[in-house]
Amino acid sequence: MEEKLEHISGDISTLTDKITALETAMETEDTSFLKSYKNIKERAQCTLQDPELLSGALIDVAKHLGNLTFRVWEKMLGMVQYTPVMLDPNTVSTTLSLSDDLTTVRHTGTAQNCPDNPERFNLYLIVLGSEGFTSGKHSWEVKVGNTREWSVGVVKESINRKGSITCSPGEGFWVIRLRNDDKYRAGAAVLTLERKPQSIRVQLDYDGGEVSFFNSSDMSLIYTFKHTFTERLFPYFSPCLRKDGNDEPLQICPVKVSVTVISSQ
């Protein structure tokens, strides 16, 4: 490649010299130009050898264009995040604020002007996921950080959304709660945890009738509810705020998407 570049540079230099000489000759008087026309015409003749085309210099079309759609999509996986649950703005109570990407909920302490639609909770600090489940296995992780009070889990679609509610399986709430920074509960059961989790993994097996909670750091089981589900279930989030100003948000963690290529053989 370096040798070819040197040859090309030499050809360019030769052509440049000839063009300069011709331009100089053309600027002379007409008589002088016509007298030296024969010599000028000979000097203007320049035959350059066509560059040699080697097989190794061809573009590898198959490499660059083969499976192009798949390769572009594969590259995009490193740029795009996937979140398994999105929050539903139509259910969020008025003093909660959602992030623009609908993955984080925070208590603001200030009521917003929102329509009092039937889906919205009007008394408690609650927001539901936008998609409900009636079958299959589903899981998501919630970053709770150092929030002193929170509730996460799943609820049935028909729960009461206006006025007082009781957060128990009998009322359609399969959630775990933290209160006063150290009291964990699952329904009426009191939980004792060895370490304070920074994030909670919620795992729903609708057909198997289980809702399980894990400490995401080591995937240790915190608690499992068992129930025969008969209606649609929605992810549940409540970033309860203490009066001391603790206002850390709850955030649904993105998951890493991978590509698996399966051979047809």
Side-chain angles (χ1 to χ4, degrees), residues 64-81:
H64 293 284
L65 297 183
N67 295 320
L68 180 60
T69 303
F70 172 79
R71 294 183 185 279
V72 170
W73 180 68
E74 187 179 27
K75 294 284 187 182
M76 290 179 63
L77 291 179
M79 304 165 53
V80 179
Q81 290 186 329

Side-chain angles (χ1 to χ4, degrees), residues 182-199:
D182 61 356
K183 296 179 181 179
Y184 295 90
R185 290 183 177 274
V190 177
L191 307 178
T192 301
L193 305 184
E194 294 183 359
R195 64 186 69 179
K196 184 176 183 178
Q198 295 294 300
S199 63

Side-chain angles (χ1 to χ4, degrees), residues 6-253:
E6 290 179 1
H7 291 159
I8 292 173
S9 297
D11 291 340
I12 292 174
S13 178
T14 300
L15 288 173
T16 301
D17 292 341
K18 289 182 179 294
I19 291 172
T20 301
L22 289 172
E23 289 177 343
T24 301
M26 292 175 66
E27 290 176 357
T28 61
E29 295 181 357
D30 294 343
T31 303
S32 300
F33 180 77
L34 291 174
K35 287 182 179 180
S36 59
Y37 170 75
K38 185 176 181 180
N39 292 333
I40 293 175
K41 181 179 178 181
E42 291 177 354
R43 292 171 60 187
Q45 300 300 317
C46 181
T47 302
L48 299 178
Q49 183 179 0
D50 292 334
E52 182 181 0
L53 186 60
L54 302 177
S55 61
L58 294 175
I59 296 176
D60 190 343
V61 178
K63 176 181 177 181
H64 293 284
L65 297 183
N67 295 320
L68 180 60
T69 303
F70 172 79
R71 294 183 185 279
V72 170
W73 180 68
E74 187 179 27
K75 294 284 187 182
M76 290 179 63
L77 291 179
M79 304 165 53
V80 179
Q81 290 186 329
Y82 168 71
T83 305
V85 172
M86 307 298 290
L87 302 176
D88 185 358
N90 292 331
T91 66
V92 65
S93 53
T94 58
T95 56
L96 295 181
S97 174
L98 304 183
S99 60
D100 292 339
D101 61 0
L102 303 180
T103 63
T104 303
V105 56
R106 178 191 298 273
H107 183 269
T108 63
T110 303
Q112 304 176 65
N113 186 18
C114 300
D116 187 21
N117 51 296
E119 301 88 355
R120 192 179 310 282
F121 293 89
N122 69 345
L123 186 59
Y124 294 96
L125 307 178
I126 297 173
V127 62
L128 302 184
S130 61
E131 181 183 0
F133 310 113
T134 56
S135 63
K137 295 181 178 180
H138 311 272
S139 63
W140 56 93
E141 291 188 9
V142 185
K143 182 180 179 182
V144 297
N146 293 315
T147 305
R148 297 183 179 183
E149 295 194 352
W150 48 259
S151 301
V152 296
V154 298
V155 297
K156 65 181 183 180
E157 185 174 19
S158 63
I159 60 171
N160 180 33
R161 309 191 185 203
K162 309 298 182 182
S164 180
I165 60 176
T166 301
C167 196
S168 68
E171 298 295 326
F173 290 77
W174 295 275
V175 305
I176 62 173
R177 313 185 305 277
L178 170 63
R179 295 291 181 270
N180 300 322
D181 203 24
D182 61 356
K183 296 179 181 179
Y184 295 90
R185 290 183 177 274
V190 177
L191 307 178
T192 301
L193 305 184
E194 294 183 359
R195 64 186 69 179
K196 184 176 183 178
Q198 295 294 300
S199 63
I200 302 292
R201 181 182 179 89
V202 184
Q203 189 166 292
L204 167 65
D205 181 356
Y206 190 101
D207 301 314
E210 291 186 352
V211 182
S212 299
F213 301 87
F214 300 86
N215 184 337
S216 298
S217 62
D218 57 9
M219 288 305 295
S220 57
L221 179 64
I222 298 175
Y223 193 80
T224 297
F225 289 102
K226 296 181 180 295
H227 186 81
T228 300
F229 304 117
T230 58
E231 63 178 273
R232 189 179 301 273
L233 302 180
F234 285 86
Y236 168 98
F237 310 88
S238 178
C240 303
L241 178 68
R242 284 164 53 97
K243 295 181 179 180
D244 58 8
N246 172 39
D247 61 351
E248 283 195 42
L250 297 182
Q251 180 181 8
I252 305 168
C253 302

